[in-house]
Amino acid sequence: MTTASPPSPAPSNAYQILLVGLLSLNFGIVFFDRNALNFLMPFVKPEFGLSNEQVGLIQSGLSLTWALAAFGIGRLSDAIRNRKLLLVLSTLTFSVCSFLTGLAQGFALLLGARLLMGAAEGGVMPISHAMVAEGVSPERRGIAQGIAQNLGSNLLGSFVAPVLLVSFAAAYGWREAFYLAGVPGLISAGLIWLLIREPEMAQRPVREPAAGGAGLGLLANRNVLICALMSVLLVSYVVVCWVFMPLYLTETRGYAPKVMQWLMGTLGLSAALGSFLVSGLSDRIGRRPVMIATPLIGALLPLSAMFLFGPTWLLAAAFFIGWGLNGILPLVMATVPSESVKPLHIATALGLCMGAGELIGGVLTPWAAGRAADATNLAAPLWIMLGLAIAAAFCAAWLKETAPALRDRPGRLRPSARRDGQGEPSSSG
């Protein structure tokens, strides 16, 4: 039987915009720090004499602790119901870890700094998406979560990071670039503390647990299971690209670091635009068709990197289109899971999907891609990316539609299916 606290006024449109904008900025800083080492690796790798396998292991280590934190901190925020405090503490900690990366003197210390950074950053997105799900109107949830996850992370993490940090490292040194990367998070933590409010306990719905319980039991929900599988595939694709594409472009294709930084920056612009277009399109035509088509478009990126020769702008255009795959990550990790479970378990479901992606895709795939590159050449990771994109499209075909515009259309779904698929069950649920 479902009980609920007295209804409270919905947040104003101005506050919803502030909430999404600030959370997007903060997650952008997360990826600015996370991706810094990938873009600076052409400077770090020769200084430390790293192999491709060691390069992959550094990323795998960060992904391991990120995955554990995503699930653990997601559940903790559901339990203690104080999301803002956890978010501020996580932001302060990962900023300090950026400074520690700059102080590293060898492979072991570099790996240790990235392990700590993953533990600090992993909980940021589950908490942020849970705050968006609670604070933004349901009809805007898709585009809001798309902006929260993709706009800032790609403008800062995939565009500003390569352009700014590579230039800064060339002028002043790669260690100094990491010190620079640690500053924005300190500012963001202060803004979150001052401007974002923590909803009162009485404002939140209190419901009976969903069928299948919480934690790993949420995998009994078909959409949660498929989103966890897609998260593994898509995180693998994205992380392999971040880690090995800069090396492929500089070592195999022979591009100078300044050309590489702009080609990688193109990915950030693509995903920033996709945070509006892809997520917004899914609000209109449905999550499922968008999540099937977009991974197939992502196959263009590795193919163009290997086989497209000609003007650099043409390769940049292919990168821009192919990275559109990144636009469905918020749907996979946040929107569809949050629309498929009861509100009491939203952050746990999000942490489960994100954690699965990082734990399997983020940990194992970079290491495996590095070993394959050492055994053959740097094209091996790009062939892995191609296979991952095709597999993700196949998985998406099995999803149940959750977009409110389609789900709530009269006659669209049977009542039982509607109760199973939506994040806010009917009063009979």
Side-chain angles (χ1 to χ4, degrees), residues 248-264:
Y248 183 83
L249 293 174
T250 53
E251 296 184 15
T252 302
R253 292 294 301 265
Y255 288 110
K258 285 192 174 182
V259 178
M260 177 273 290
Q261 74 185 49
W262 286 105
L263 285 171
M264 295 302 295

Side-chain angles (χ1 to χ4, degrees), residues 369-386:
R371 292 205 66 177
D374 282 335
T376 55
N377 55 57
L378 279 168
L382 276 64
W383 285 110
I384 292 173
M385 289 174 60
L386 179 62

Side-chain angles (χ1 to χ4, degrees), residues 348-368:
T348 303
L350 271 53
L352 185 60
C353 291
M354 295 178 196
E358 290 289 348
L359 187 60
I360 302 174
V363 174
L364 297 180
T365 312
W367 167 76

